[in-house]
Amino acid sequence: MPSPLTEKQTLEIGKSNKRKYMLEKLSARIFLLCALLSVLSLLLIVGFVFYKGSHPFVAEGYSFIDFVFGVDWVPSEGKFGIFPMIVASVFATFGALIIGVPIGLFTAIFLAEIAPKSIAKIISPAVQLLAGIPSVLYGVFGLAIIVPFLQNNLGLAKGQSLLAIILVLAIMMLPTIVTVAETAIRAVPKTYREGSLALGASQIGTIFKVVVPAAKSGIMAAIVLGLGRAIGETMAVILVAGNSLIIPTSLTDSVRPLTTNIALEMGYAFGTHQEMLFATGIVLFSFILLLNFVLAKISSKGGN
Amino acid sequence: MRFIKEATIGLLVLFLAALLSACGIGNDSETESSNDSKGTISISGSTSVGPLAEKLAVKYEEKNKVNIEVNQIGSSAGITNATSGVSEIGMSSRDLKEEEKANGLNEVVIAYDGIVVVTHPSNKVKNLTIEQVKQIFTGEVTNWKELGGDDMEIVVVSREDGSGSRDAFQEIVGYTSGELVRSSIVASGNGNIKTTVATNKHAVGFISFEYIDHSISTIKINGVEATAENVLQQKYSLSRPFLFVYKEEHLTNSGQQFIDYILSQEGQAIVSETGAIPIK
């Protein structure tokens, strides 16, 4: 027969409960603090870049329009025009998309729909490993293999070119596209495929007419993420770009994308020159923001 | 909610305390050192000589109780400051002009800076004039055959804007950043230029002396080989002196001792460490 709790016992239980709740609350606060840290970092970075980058336009009388559409970049003479770099960044990124998206998409389809488990087991980790290679190694690979290859086989005076950037970026964006697209394709309900196959459609027909359209929003997200990876890439690009300050008229011209302009000159820059490099960062940041906005739109559509 | 407030306040207090104590320590040490020091040597001038002077100053301050301030504001401004006495010593990476010498300035060469034009080892062109170098880098000459080489396009490789070597090279050769041929490859760092030139038989670039090796071929300027010896004998023209300039009446004892230190074996060892050419 259990005796009723004495007053002392009740008090002790209450105490231990209190301690438990305190611990609970404390851990919640610690998690909150960690979460706030990333928000804080974002604010600091954005704030710093915008503060530094906007200074020449606010306080020194430079025109932002001239900055974005100017074709001359001669910091030592006070000429800051990044139009050639914007063109280079856009061309390089979309060029990489043209090569990278089909390859990435087909790889994802193969992994999710066609490949036998034994083969997928080899390819899947390989693709993921590709994502883990430091970008500077892609650059070294590009400089040692792709640049000489282009130089020798296309009879060019220099292999550092838009084409070299496109090839390197196409390889670099593959893992992003493959992983995200594969997940999207796998998420398509089995009943869709079964329905299509039951109606007599072939496997490939089913994939392209039923599965891929059903996974459309996920695949679009994969492409936008790949795009983001490509436009922000610096270290790999700096080695193969050639960094010339011209508006490219052919694939074999050497160009300087926005990212490499910052990385290349930040080391020695000071004063207005440095602030203009931050301003270059603002333009780059705007591109990335735009991409994220598009991505959010796509995701919300997918939800509906 | 109250907990958050308390935690925030606690953190803030901690942070402020840390900040204050950091400032406090900073102030203490500053006042201490300035109290102990016998004087301050103010040096201003060239941004090319600046890093070298900074390094020498740090080493010198370790051993001597003196405060050395180095301001990198450009050669001309440094010379003006030395003339007017605003700075005790001025730094210049170019020779003094006649009118500057006329003001009674003394100059001491503390080091030399040498730059060499390099090409792919297979390139037949081994000798150029300064004028030809200028034509190459401004895009007036675009084919090696115009310079006595094979019939192939010239690929110009340059350092990035803001680099001291690039400024020096352009200043000596006589073209501006705006005149640099637009299609030139821009690489950051001497090593990067060397690799680019070593792997492209069309390429021409410029690097500091210390980076010369067998992967690239060096170009003679007006028939003079790029060696430290030729620089010291003032035969090789792609070079410039690093000068300290001062007026006798402004120079203090500690200033004179610092200059002596730089010219000593120990000082010159630091000079060659930073990649400049020592004077002996």
Side-chain angles (χ1 to χ4, degrees):
Chain A
M1 186 89 178
S3 57
L5 296 173
T6 61
E7 204 169 308
K8 202 175 156 198
Q9 277 172 320
T10 332
L11 213 72
E12 254 171 26
I13 289 173
K15 240 186 197 170
S16 87
N17 269 351
K18 217 177 184 180
R19 205 177 300 146
K20 208 162 72 189
Y21 289 138
M22 271 292 280
L23 202 69
E24 199 87 344
K25 271 189 179 170
L26 186 70
S27 13
R29 305 295 176 236
I30 292 174
F31 297 154
L32 176 72
L33 210 70
C34 293
L36 283 181
L37 205 64
S38 60
V39 177
L40 189 73
S41 315
L42 179 73
L43 286 181
L44 279 178
I45 293 171
V46 173
F48 182 68
V49 169
F50 272 76
Y51 169 72
K52 284 281 237 179
S54 59
H55 190 259
F57 309 109
V58 177
E60 293 167 46
Y62 286 92
S63 141
F64 192 70
I65 301 292
D66 287 349
F67 174 66
V68 173
F69 293 104
V71 293
D72 289 314
W73 175 269
V74 190
S76 50
E77 291 171 12
K79 288 181 189 159
F80 300 98
I82 59 166
F83 190 65
M85 304 168 204
I86 295 177
V87 174
S89 271
V90 170
F91 279 12
T93 308
F94 281 94
L97 275 191
I98 289 169
I99 298 177
V101 168
I103 297 177
L105 187 57
F106 293 161
T107 311
I109 290 172
F110 177 73
L111 284 176
E113 296 287 317
I114 301 166
K117 263 201 176 133
S118 56
I119 295 180
K121 252 185 193 164
I122 300 171
I123 297 181
S124 237
V127 170
Q128 272 152 21
L129 261 182
L130 205 61
I133 296 176
S135 61
V136 68
L137 288 184
Y138 281 99
V140 172
F141 167 77
L143 188 62
I145 309 286
I146 294 177
V147 167
F149 177 83
L150 293 178
Q151 199 168 312
N152 297 332
N153 289 292
L154 301 181
L156 303 174
K158 56 188 172 196
Q160 284 92 343
S161 58
L162 189 56
L163 188 58
I165 307 177
I166 289 173
L167 291 177
V168 170
L169 286 182
I171 300 172
M172 292 188 74
M173 71 204 298
L174 277 183
T176 315
I177 296 179
V178 172
T179 340
V180 180
E182 189 192 339
T183 315
I185 292 170
R186 281 194 195 280
V188 174
K190 250 212 161 93
T191 48
Y192 284 33
R193 297 180 186 89
E194 281 162 358
S196 170
L197 291 172
L199 287 172
S202 66
Q203 194 189 9
I204 299 297
T206 303
I207 289 169
F208 282 101
K209 294 270 167 62
V210 178
V211 178
V212 170
K216 201 172 60 189
S217 74
I219 291 171
M220 285 303 287
I223 293 172
V224 175
L225 282 174
L227 208 80
R229 173 110 164 101
I231 202 165
E233 182 47 47
T234 310
M235 277 327 290
V237 172
I238 206 169
L239 290 168
V240 299
N243 304 311
S244 306
L245 288 163
I246 48 174
I247 299 172
T249 51
S250 86
L251 280 173
T252 56
D253 282 340
S254 62
V255 294
R256 181 187 300 193
L258 290 164
T259 47
T260 68
N261 187 46
I262 302 174
L264 195 66
E265 297 193 350
M266 195 53 100
Y268 288 105
F270 59 93
T272 310
H273 184 186
Q274 195 186 54
E275 287 162 359
M276 283 300 189
L277 292 178
F278 278 106
T280 312
I282 294 181
V283 173
L284 190 62
F285 198 76
S286 315
F287 274 111
I288 307 245
L289 272 186
L290 195 74
L291 282 183
N292 273 317
F293 181 72
V294 172
L295 185 65
K297 273 269 170 206
I298 292 169
S299 309
S300 69
K301 246 190 202 166
N304 293 338
Chain B
M1 265 342 248
R2 229 183 81 203
F3 188 89
I4 294 187
K5 252 186 205 161
E6 277 166 16
T8 334
I9 291 170
L11 270 177
L12 261 177
V13 168
L14 258 178
F15 179 70
L16 278 177
L19 203 74
L20 276 176
S21 65
C23 291
I25 291 165
N27 281 341
D28 283 347
S29 63
E30 237 166 65
T31 40
E32 253 170 51
S33 69
S34 60
N35 280 344
D36 282 351
S37 67
K38 281 172 188 160
T40 300
I41 309 174
S42 64
I43 301 176
S44 66
S46 163
T47 51
S48 311
V49 189
L52 172 60
E54 295 262 20
K55 200 158 184 187
L56 287 162
V58 169
K59 293 270 173 179
Y60 188 70
E61 279 172 336
E62 276 171 16
K63 289 172 194 160
N64 299 277
K65 283 188 175 163
V66 66
N67 212 1
I68 302 177
E69 282 173 13
V70 179
N71 280 315
Q72 304 182 23
I73 53 175
S75 293
S76 301
I79 293 166
T80 313
N81 277 356
T83 314
S84 63
V86 172
S87 297
E88 190 174 329
I89 299 171
M91 301 179 286
S92 172
S93 53
R94 58 169 172 79
D95 284 313
L96 291 185
K97 292 173 188 155
E98 281 310 315
E99 62 265 30
E100 287 165 347
K101 275 184 189 162
N103 287 328
L105 276 181
N106 294 317
E107 56 171 65
V108 181
V109 178
I110 62 163
Y112 288 97
D113 185 24
I115 300 168
V116 60
V117 176
V118 293
T119 59
H120 191 265
S122 73
N123 200 317
K124 282 182 195 147
V125 178
K126 300 287 178 201
N127 182 34
L128 291 171
T129 65
I130 288 274
E131 186 54 34
Q132 283 171 324
V133 173
K134 182 179 169 182
Q135 285 171 338
I136 291 173
F137 280 88
T138 54
E140 263 178 71
V141 172
T142 55
N143 196 307
W144 284 110
K145 75 177 174 200
E146 294 171 63
L147 303 163
D150 291 332
D151 180 10
M152 56 182 186
E153 199 185 321
I154 297 177
V155 172
V156 173
V157 187
S158 172
R159 288 290 301 275
E160 70 277 25
D161 205 319
S163 135
S165 305
R166 169 162 159 172
D167 287 345
F169 184 76
Q170 291 181 172
E171 203 179 293
I172 300 166
V173 173
Y175 68 97
T176 63
S177 282
E179 288 169 343
L180 174 70
V181 57
R182 281 296 159 88
S183 59
S184 61
I185 291 181
V186 179
S188 58
N190 282 293
N192 228 329
I193 292 210
K194 196 171 73 178
T195 323
T196 309
V197 173
T199 53
N200 188 340
K201 59 185 198 297
H202 301 259
V204 58
F206 55 85
I207 57 176
S208 280
F209 273 26
E210 59 195 299
Y211 287 89
I212 296 174
D213 67 18
H214 295 296
S215 68
I216 33 102
S217 145
T218 61
I219 297 280
K220 289 178 196 162
I221 300 295
N222 297 328
V224 181
E225 192 102 38
T227 61
E229 216 168 287
N230 283 334
V231 169
L232 290 180
Q233 291 172 7
Q234 303 196 344
K235 286 183 192 158
Y236 182 75
S237 48
L238 279 183
S239 71
R240 53 182 183 164
F242 282 173
L243 298 177
F244 267 20
V245 298
Y246 60 89
K247 264 185 138 174
E248 210 73 70
E249 62 258 40
H250 299 313
L251 193 69
T252 58
N253 261 341
S254 38
Q256 182 62 52
Q257 279 161 11
F258 182 50
I259 292 176
D260 291 342
Y261 168 77
I262 294 174
L263 301 180
S264 73
Q265 216 156 33
E266 200 186 337
Q268 289 297 306
I270 298 170
V271 166
S272 57
E273 239 172 66
T274 59
I277 302 166
I279 51 172
K280 278 165 212 155

